[in-house]
């Protein structure tokens, strides 16, 4: 393994490299890179390295209107595609994603259960679907949580809060809600609900986060998100 290689090399867009330059140049990020690249060299890791920063590369930092925060990628074969809660087309919907679609069906007029769980159309409209930990060993949820990913993703959230205006942050479950300390609620909308997992406590159904997001974006001169998926 080339000890000078960073996980951002050839994998993170120039815009995000510039936007995150302060954290990317920090020694802690070099340590994170070493851990992650070593894992990819010696383990089966999801998502594929080429999709590690898919959530970022699908939209530029200046285009982010909505942030949805997950915990870590799906750890099953062929599921994770670098977007939180999303799966590749043709893959069976995990329970959390199925519940997200159920809430959308009840919240957004005309939304129908899609044939695909690929959420990249949302990302292309400015929805940053980011996991707090961006990689995971196959079959071992949470296995990369001690690599240092959270310092990186917390920085991402804070930078988006500091530099943006009228962004919507959807925080589902206690883990995501702990990230609220990095968000300036005086200039952004933070919506909280239970995690969409069937195992979670509290109410996710009926939160109407998707319509509330669009109402807020429209009220602040931004185009709403088309939540439908073909």
């Amino acid at each position: 393994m080339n000890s000078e290689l960073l996980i951002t090399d050839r994998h993170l867009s120039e815009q995000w490299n510039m936007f995150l330059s302060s954290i990317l140049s920090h020694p802690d990020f070099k340590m994170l890179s070493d851990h992650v690249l070593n894992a990819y060299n010696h383990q089966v890791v999801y998502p594929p390295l080429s999709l590690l920063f898919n959530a970022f590369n699908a939209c530029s930092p200046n285009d982010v209107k909505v942030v949805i925060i997950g915990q870590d990628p799906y750890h099953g074969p062929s599921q994770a595609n670098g977007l939180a809660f999303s799966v590749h087309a043709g893959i069976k919907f995990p329970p959390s994603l199925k519940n997200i679609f159920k809430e959308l069906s009840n919240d957004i007029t005309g939304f129908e259960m899609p044939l695909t769980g690929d959420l990249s159309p949302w990302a292309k409209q400015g929805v940053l679907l980011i996991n707090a930990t961006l990689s995971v060993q196959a079959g071992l949820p949470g296995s990369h949580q001690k690599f240092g990913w959270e310092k990186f993703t917390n920085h991402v959230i804070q930078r988006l809060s500091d530099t943006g205006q009228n962004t919507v942050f959807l925080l589902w479950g206690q883990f995501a809600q702990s990230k609220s300390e990095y968000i300036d609620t005086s200039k952004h909308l933070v919506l909280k609900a239970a995690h969409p997992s069937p195992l979670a406590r509290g109410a996710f159904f009926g939160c109407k986060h998707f319509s509330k997001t669009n109402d807020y974006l429209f009220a602040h001169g931004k185009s709403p998100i088309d939540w439908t998926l073909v």
Side-chain angles (χ1 to χ4, degrees):
M1 181 178 65
N2 182 354
S3 62
E4 297 304 313
L5 187 67
L6 295 177
I7 48 177
T8 52
D9 292 348
R10 302 183 303 279
H11 298 298
L12 189 62
S13 72
E14 182 178 354
Q15 289 174 308
W16 280 104
N17 267 300
M18 294 177 61
F19 185 75
L20 300 174
S21 59
S22 61
I23 188 71
L24 297 181
S25 60
H26 195 280
D28 286 349
F29 188 78
K30 177 61 172 63
M31 292 177 62
L32 168 63
S33 293
D34 288 344
H35 282 307
V36 174
L37 290 173
N38 183 65
Y40 274 101
N41 284 335
H42 296 96
Q43 304 170 356
V44 177
V45 176
Y46 301 127
L49 183 57
S50 61
L51 296 177
L52 186 64
F53 293 103
N54 194 23
F56 298 90
N57 295 331
C59 61
S60 73
N62 293 333
D63 293 334
V64 173
K65 296 187 289 187
V66 181
V67 180
I68 299 178
I69 303 170
Q71 192 157 347
D72 61 356
Y74 297 123
H75 57 273
S78 303
Q79 289 182 308
N81 63 6
L83 305 174
F85 297 104
S86 176
V87 293
H88 291 291
I91 299 299
K92 181 181 178 181
F93 301 162
S96 294
L97 182 58
K98 186 180 295 184
N99 283 345
I100 289 171
F101 290 155
K102 287 181 180 178
E103 174 61 19
L104 273 161
S105 298
N106 292 324
D107 186 25
I108 300 296
T109 301
F111 183 91
E112 297 181 358
M113 189 65 70
L115 298 177
T116 177
D118 183 359
L119 305 183
S120 56
W122 296 358
K124 292 175 182 177
Q125 297 175 73
V127 181
L128 182 66
L129 295 151
I130 182 177
N131 283 309
T133 299
L134 298 189
S135 60
V136 67
Q137 184 176 351
L140 294 175
S143 51
H144 289 185
Q145 286 182 358
K146 294 183 179 181
F147 281 11
W149 272 124
E150 285 200 44
K151 183 171 184 179
F152 170 73
T153 51
N154 288 345
H155 179 84
V156 172
I157 295 166
Q158 184 146 28
R159 279 282 290 151
L160 289 170
S161 173
D162 291 345
T163 61
Q165 190 73 33
N166 303 131
T167 303
V168 183
F169 292 82
L170 304 185
L171 308 183
W172 299 333
Q174 292 185 349
F175 181 83
Q177 289 168 21
S178 69
K179 307 300 180 182
S180 61
E181 66 177 291
Y182 303 103
I183 304 166
D184 184 348
T185 55
S186 70
K187 62 175 184 172
H188 302 292
L189 177 64
V190 174
L191 297 175
K192 299 179 181 180
H195 193 278
S197 167
L199 302 177
R201 295 182 178 181
F204 176 73
F205 293 124
C207 68
K208 296 189 180 298
H209 278 189
F210 304 99
S211 60
K212 289 177 180 178
T213 292
N214 280 351
D215 290 344
Y216 180 85
L217 292 175
F218 181 79
H220 290 86
K222 297 185 178 184
S223 57
I225 304 300
D226 179 3
W227 298 107
T228 60
L229 296 165
V230 178

